[in-house]
Amino acid sequence: MLRVATILVLLLSGSLVAAPIPKSLKRQPAGNILGIWRVTDSLTETWIFRDDGSAGYGHSATKFDGPAVFTFDESVTPHEINWSQDNKKSWNFGVYAFEGGLLKMNFSAPGRDRVKHMTEQGGARQLSFRRIEE
């Protein structure tokens, strides 16, 4: 009887241990913002968004000139993005959307409220990107 009880305990305790979630099943942002993107009106300007919240930009897909961090909120439309290039001392607020295979972003000028629409004027920079690598 003790042997059966021991086997049952081992079987039940093993079934309660959660297996790690495979990377391919982890939730990605809508449209999958993660990856390496090239600015459409530039031959070299490249941005990267990593799943740990780190980011970068530069003129190479392998070496980035400037480290950055970002956060995003995909529960609103258009999606919101916050971008910092100075270790979170200041933030650039923007919105992004996926349109026709492009990632489009519109950032507000520093010190101003977030733009509310992709087409809103007065932003610091409006960008379109093509994915070059996931």
Side-chain angles (χ1 to χ4, degrees), residues 30-123:
N32 196 3
I33 192 174
L34 302 179
I36 301 175
W37 299 84
R38 172 92 19 92
V39 177
T40 56
D41 63 357
S42 170
L43 296 176
T44 61
E45 186 175 354
T46 306
W47 290 35
I48 186 170
F49 299 95
R50 297 184 184 101
D51 61 2
D52 65 358
S54 65
Y57 62 94
H59 293 282
S60 165
T62 57
K63 181 180 181 289
F64 291 93
D65 303 330
V69 294
F70 75 104
T71 62
F72 63 91
D73 182 357
E74 64 179 0
S75 69
V76 295
T77 302
H79 306 309
E80 296 179 348
I81 185 166
N82 308 312
W83 175 273
S84 176
Q85 296 175 199
D86 60 4
N87 202 21
K88 302 179 185 179
K89 293 176 186 165
S90 63
W91 290 91
N92 294 307
F93 302 110
V95 293
Y96 71 96
F98 294 91
E99 298 175 8
L102 298 176
L103 167 61
K104 295 190 174 187
M105 292 186 181
N106 187 4
F107 283 99
S108 297
R112 295 188 60 190
D113 290 339
R114 182 187 315 276
V115 293
K116 300 296 182 203
H117 307 284
M118 292 301 301
T119 58
E120 186 173 339
Q121 297 301 310

